[in-house]
Amino acid sequence: MEGQELPVGWKRCLLGDAVDYGRTQKAEPADIPDDAWVLELEDIEKDSSKLLSRSTFAERKSKSTKNAFEKGAVLYGKLRPYLNKVMLADEPGFCSTEIIPLLAGEGIAAGYLFHWLKSPEFLGYTEEVSHGINMPRLGTEAGRKAPLVLAPLSEQRRIAAKLDTTLAAVEACRQRLDGVAAILKRFRQAVLAAATSGELTREWREERGDFSHWQEKRLAELGEFGRGKSRHRPRNDPRLYGGDYPFIQTGDVANINGDWLTSHSQTYGDFGLAQSRIWPSTTLCITIAANIADTALLEYPACFPDSIVGFVADRTQVEPLIAKWMIDSVADKLESFAPATAQKNINLAILDKIVFSVPPLQEQTEIISRAQELFTLADQLEARLTAARKVVDRLTPALLAKAFRGELVPQDPNDEPASLLLERIRAARQADAAAGKSSGRGRKKAAALPDQLPLDAAPA
């Protein structure tokens, strides 16, 4: 943090003192080879810096101006800096103008610069100075004035190497946790399949000598079945809203945790209620537009629009929770029935064609008891998983902050101080300016990008 005492030999400066933020080599589409790598922001995964896809200019078919970059350049996504899209180029290429290629000069290691651009201090700065409401970006002048904590060059390399290995271990841990999440999801699906197929209670039936048959039924035979009501247009008429009657929307159903809907984000007033309907508690809500076959049971009476189907179970035939699990077990199939339109949706006719196997009521009670016990176990494991994920998510910023406080690797008193690095960079810039040159060091330019700055150029 600014004002914090730095180790001996370190120097606090501006990013523009060490690298030339915003100085780019433009390339027009006509000058880009078809087989050249063209990088867009969408190709970089936020936070992790993973390259999600690699496309050529011919595949992109882009007609916009690009920034050229060399192998080894630090590629910084200036649009929406909070997404933390930064990566090191493993080969030459061209990128969106929303990506700024930064060439590490003689006084700064590329790996060190890469990690600094992802550090809490740098991210905090970009959050404060980025301009634009909907699409905030770090401007050129603001980028040059960004803070930089500069360590001696040899220590920079040690820090970068240590961060590479340590953060790779953190990422491996994160992937393992993701694997646990996938296992829990498959476990829940298996419980659901066993509950709705009869496998979960097979031994229970055998022990009782109960050979009662499951009955084949459609939803319409098991209770009241119909679409929600929201007849008034336009739908966003303010007269509809702001009253005492809960109004459930597809997003509310999609975002529940568990089986029951316990909160809502909108209400109807008397005007809204007059053109709608209140459905009773325990109604099964089934989304049929935007999100297909998401389900939730109402914990309290509520209204909902015609993008949601309501099912009120006849409890002499089926428990509401069993009805929900029956729909959940065929959700993937229901989504496949939706026409391939801009917004997927299904209709009542599709739902009404599905025939479900319904167990006797006594067995339904046993199924609910057994399944909920297993789901509770999964919930407990998921709570522990969530806690572990929070710990892992805190590790990366903590390690980066530690690195740039000088606490990650030991200092070497024989290292050249950062102040001397900056003096050399400043002298080189002055010499190049006097000679009317760019800030190169005379290295051969990259063959694929003949007009590019040399890789180890000192920034101007």
Side-chain angles (χ1 to χ4, degrees), residues 183-218:
I183 291 171
L184 284 174
K185 181 178 180 180
R186 291 196 298 271
F187 174 76
R188 285 193 173 94
Q189 291 170 337
V191 172
L192 192 63
T196 55
S197 68
E199 185 60 28
L200 191 62
T201 45
R202 180 174 58 82
E203 292 182 359
W204 177 84
R205 290 193 302 274
E206 292 173 352
E207 290 171 359
R208 293 170 54 84
D210 186 344
F211 302 104
S212 302
H213 293 294
W214 290 35
Q215 296 185 336
E216 302 296 309
K217 296 272 189 174
R218 294 180 297 109

Side-chain angles (χ1 to χ4, degrees), residues 228-235 268 272-277 306:
K229 293 182 179 180
S230 185
R231 294 188 296 265
H232 184 76
R233 297 297 182 273
R235 293 181 185 269
Y268 268 160
L273 179 63
Q275 52 85 59
S276 186
R277 170 197 169 175
D306 55 9

Side-chain angles (χ1 to χ4, degrees), residues 124-137:
Y125 170 82
T126 62
E127 186 175 349
E128 288 181 5
V129 303
S130 295
H131 63 273
I133 298 175
N134 296 324
M135 300 180 72
R137 53 176 47 82

Side-chain angles (χ1 to χ4, degrees), residues 198 285 307 317 357 384 426:
C285 298
S307 56
Q317 299 187 75
S357 293
R384 295 175 65 181
R426 189 177 300 111

Side-chain angles (χ1 to χ4, degrees), residues 416-436:
E416 180 186 39
S419 58
L420 295 183
L421 297 180
L422 288 173
E423 287 179 10
R424 289 213 321 270
I425 293 171
R426 189 177 300 111
R429 286 180 171 180
Q430 291 172 351
D432 288 338

Side-chain angles (χ1 to χ4, degrees), residues 180-325:
V180 173
I183 291 171
L184 284 174
K185 181 178 180 180
R186 291 196 298 271
F187 174 76
R188 285 193 173 94
Q189 291 170 337
V191 172
L192 192 63
T196 55
S197 68
E199 185 60 28
L200 191 62
T201 45
R202 180 174 58 82
E203 292 182 359
W204 177 84
R205 290 193 302 274
E206 292 173 352
E207 290 171 359
R208 293 170 54 84
D210 186 344
F211 302 104
S212 302
H213 293 294
W214 290 35
Q215 296 185 336
E216 302 296 309
K217 296 272 189 174
R218 294 180 297 109
L219 281 182
E221 299 175 292
L222 293 169
E224 183 188 352
F225 177 52
R227 294 179 70 165
K229 293 182 179 180
S230 185
R231 294 188 296 265
H232 184 76
R233 297 297 182 273
R235 293 181 185 269
N236 62 351
D237 189 332
R239 293 178 296 169
L240 294 168
Y241 305 109
D244 299 325
Y245 310 105
F247 176 60
I248 306 304
Q249 300 172 85
T250 55
D252 298 319
V253 178
N255 294 326
I256 67 164
N257 182 20
D259 294 311
W260 293 87
L261 193 149
T262 59
S263 64
H264 51 279
S265 55
Q266 184 60 278
T267 60
Y268 268 160
D270 290 336
F271 185 80
L273 179 63
Q275 52 85 59
S276 186
R277 170 197 169 175
I278 292 184
W279 293 76
S281 61
T282 74
T283 294
L284 173 61
C285 298
I286 310 166
T287 61
I288 60 172
N291 306 307
I292 304 297
D294 286 328
T295 62
L297 291 167
L298 291 181
E299 193 169 82
Y300 45 77
C303 304
F304 46 78
D306 55 9
S307 56
I308 297 175
V309 166
F311 171 72
V312 181
D314 174 0
R315 299 187 72 162
T316 65
Q317 299 187 75
V318 65
E319 288 292 332
L321 197 52
I322 292 292
K324 180 184 187 301
W325 291 347

Side-chain angles (χ1 to χ4, degrees), residues 359-373:
L361 282 174
Q362 189 174 11
E363 188 168 354
Q364 290 183 38
T365 301
E366 185 65 22
I367 289 171
I368 291 171
S369 175
R370 293 186 176 210
Q372 286 186 325
E373 184 177 348

